[in-house]
Amino acid sequence: MDNIGKIIKVAGPLVIAEGMAHANMFDVVRVGPQHLIGEIIEMRGDKASIQVYEETAGIGTGEDVVSTGAPLSVELGPGLIGQIYDGIQRPLEDIRRQVGDTIKRGIEVDPISREKEWEFTPTAKAGDKVEPGDVLGTVQETIIVLHKIMVPVGVRGTVKEVRGGKHTITDVVAVIEDEKGQLHELTMVQKWPVRVERTYKEKLAPTFPMVTGQRIVDTFFPIAKGGTAAIPGPFGSGKTVTQHQLAKWSDVDIVIYIGCGERGNEMTDVLREFPELKDPRTGESLMKRTVLIANTSDMPVAAREASVYTGITIAEYYRDMGYNVAVIADSTSRWAEALREMSGRLEEMPGEEGYPAYLASRLAQFYERAGRVICLGSDGREGTLSAIGAVSPPGGDISEPVSQATLRIVKVFWGLDSSLAYRRHFPAINWLNSYSLYFDRLRPWYEDNINQSFIKNRNEAMKLLQQENELDEIVKLVGIDALSPADRLVMETTQMIREDFLQQNAMSDTDSYCEIDKQFRLLELILFYYETAGEALRKGAPMQPVFDIPARARIGRAKDVPKEIYKEQYDQIEADIRQQIAQISQGGKEA
């Protein structure tokens, strides 16, 4: 057969085969008698270098390599939501049912069930003119997700027939006649190569935030829907919990969580916790709007690289339906290590710290697939894809190549700090070295939907935190008593900002999620205390009684006030602050 080559070298996950002149770059191949899945990553004459996505032990020279003639692709259709896949879209639950707890090498299982029937409700009818991206009908995939069956790219013409009712994903649900008179029979499943970005009409500037319910994110360093963010941090600084919080609380429709080379126990936690987490908006299991890609660090290195592309392609498919989608990749450092290992085995010229010279461009290819777009189709629907990548720099040193390449690409940097984590300050995002470049674009949304003073208050709080950092040096040298009353007030206020606002308890029912309006009011309350106390001190009020007013202790407990009653409580605290400081200023007793 003309699509078979022979192995001439095996080096870990890299297999080199000759007689492959018929194959193309990025074709999927089957390697050896066990039919291991691999992908061609380099061609030199008729020799192909193949990245094998399974353990290559026992594979020898002279064995067959069979090209499938198609690139690595994912299947897209009803049945994706709630699935747990490995990096090359093999459904782990189905494999477990077939072969037990250990994945057998070379196993082939359909990514989406061929037996399950779905109720297809047509929205197009015979005689309609359709173009790529037009919705032919819908399927209620889960109680939360309405799956839209779209005309695939490359097909346009007149609908000849639409078949409603119960169908499997491989049944023909519509027939379209193109301009040449050819008939296209469409099913509910389509394939898309993972390394190719899905097509859209137009990319738009992101102008509204992805609300996460995390105060330090929404108020201080927001990410826009369709934006990109990185969470770099050392081991133990709370990356995983922060990502869980973003996955659980972000106001997106679909979450794609890619566990890319993380420790097996961390991935196990995700697999155990996500099905049990309740979606706060619907009360249903979070898995009813989530796809998990589970690739632990003991899986072959090469499979890590594929997992990121698999996840973002599935995300683009749901974005094309007009949904807001978040991709959370944990972690891109492990993905970059896979690139480094394969680059070394290919004997390419290494870049910094042994990473390939094309590391930055590969990272950019991933993050650039995020965005807010006008989807294909004649209805002009909009969808967003937000990409959030964790980075695990060795020892927390963000001067290493993966962190630096990521920082040059993403627009939001949430820098986790081990010193904050050791002090039990979570989320351990350092407010002095984190940033968001979306503020100018998001300002109109905050001013129209929350309050005209939202950005002003945030900037005031950041200014105080920077002042505290400078005053800290003085305090370490000469003690806090050497500070003036105004500087002492800055230190007291920033303690409140840090402990009462920026700290958030992910395990607390009332504090795990904080509405954005409540965030605004809480910060406004702290700044109101700062202004009122500052005015009193300038008029000669004694310093310590102003710092010790009972209302200040109530600010510390204010973040735990349930959302139903926080407005009245915050108004009462504000009135108490005003009254108690006024009494001190007049020489009276505290209330």
Side-chain angles (χ1 to χ4, degrees), residues 122-327:
T123 54
K125 59 186 185 299
D128 286 357
K129 297 273 190 212
V130 292
E131 59 182 70
D134 279 347
V135 178
L136 294 168
T138 59
V139 169
Q140 196 67 50
E141 186 171 3
T142 69
I143 200 164
I144 304 165
V145 179
L146 184 70
H147 193 110
K148 294 166 185 168
I149 306 299
M150 299 170 287
V151 178
V153 173
V155 178
R156 67 173 63 237
T158 308
V159 177
K160 300 299 286 179
E161 186 185 354
V162 184
R163 301 168 187 171
K166 283 193 175 297
H167 296 283
T168 65
I169 60 165
T170 52
D171 291 344
V172 174
V173 294
V175 180
I176 294 174
E177 184 179 8
D178 65 18
E179 289 144 11
K180 296 177 183 172
Q182 285 185 310
L183 295 180
H184 298 265
E185 294 187 332
L186 303 183
T187 65
M188 289 193 277
V189 67
Q190 51 179 276
K191 282 197 158 195
W192 192 270
V194 298
R195 293 177 188 275
V196 178
E197 186 176 9
R198 277 182 65 86
T199 321
Y200 52 82
K201 269 190 179 170
E202 185 185 347
K203 200 166 235 185
L204 306 172
T207 53
F208 40 91
M210 185 173 97
V211 178
T212 65
Q214 312 306 299
R215 288 186 290 268
I216 191 162
V217 173
D218 293 343
T219 300
F220 278 66
F221 310 109
I223 176 174
K225 276 185 183 164
T228 53
I231 316 179
F235 174 76
S237 59
K239 278 194 301 295
T240 303
V241 173
T242 305
Q243 288 180 307
H244 285 200
Q245 288 292 93
L246 295 173
K248 181 179 180 182
W249 295 111
S250 296
D251 65 335
V252 293
D253 305 304
I254 313 280
V255 175
I256 313 291
Y257 189 97
I258 308 166
C260 176
E262 278 305 295
R263 283 168 289 279
N265 58 335
E266 283 194 15
M267 205 60 231
T268 305
D269 286 346
V270 172
L271 298 180
R272 280 186 178 153
E273 285 175 24
F274 268 54
E276 290 173 13
L277 287 176
K278 287 279 180 285
D279 184 343
R281 291 186 290 170
T282 61
E284 298 289 329
S285 164
L286 195 64
M287 283 303 288
K288 292 195 176 167
R289 63 180 180 96
T290 303
V291 182
L292 292 180
I293 313 262
N295 229 352
T296 59
S297 50
D298 63 343
M299 284 176 146
V301 166
R304 294 182 201 170
E305 201 212 347
S307 62
V308 167
Y309 294 115
T310 298
I312 201 144
T313 307
I314 293 171
E316 286 175 336
Y317 176 61
Y318 282 100
R319 176 209 67 194
D320 290 347
M321 296 180 200
Y323 287 123
N324 297 310
V325 187
V327 171

Side-chain angles (χ1 to χ4, degrees), residues 216-217 221-223 229-232 246 388 412-416 429 434-435:
I216 191 162
V217 173
F221 310 109
I223 176 174
I231 316 179
L246 295 173
I388 299 165
V412 180
F413 172 72
W414 297 314
L416 294 172
I429 295 172
S434 299
Y435 60 80

Side-chain angles (χ1 to χ4, degrees), residues 441-453:
R441 292 198 184 279
L442 299 179
R443 182 187 292 271
W445 187 92
Y446 281 116
E447 290 177 349
D448 295 345
N449 293 278
I450 310 299
N451 194 284
Q452 289 283 326
S453 302

Side-chain angles (χ1 to χ4, degrees), residues 371-385:
R372 173 181 163 222
V373 304
I374 296 177
C375 309
L376 288 181
S378 51
D379 59 355
R381 61 186 179 274
E382 268 187 33
T384 66
L385 197 171

Side-chain angles (χ1 to χ4, degrees), residues 360-380:
S361 67
R362 286 286 179 89
L363 276 167
Q365 282 168 14
F366 167 67
Y367 284 110
E368 281 170 2
R369 288 171 76 167
R372 173 181 163 222
V373 304
I374 296 177
C375 309
L376 288 181
S378 51
D379 59 355

Side-chain angles (χ1 to χ4, degrees), residues 375-405:
C375 309
L376 288 181
S378 51
D379 59 355
R381 61 186 179 274
E382 268 187 33
T384 66
L385 197 171
S386 311
I388 299 165
V391 187
S392 313
D397 173 20
I398 64 164
S399 65
E400 56 88 44
V402 182
S403 302
Q404 286 302 306

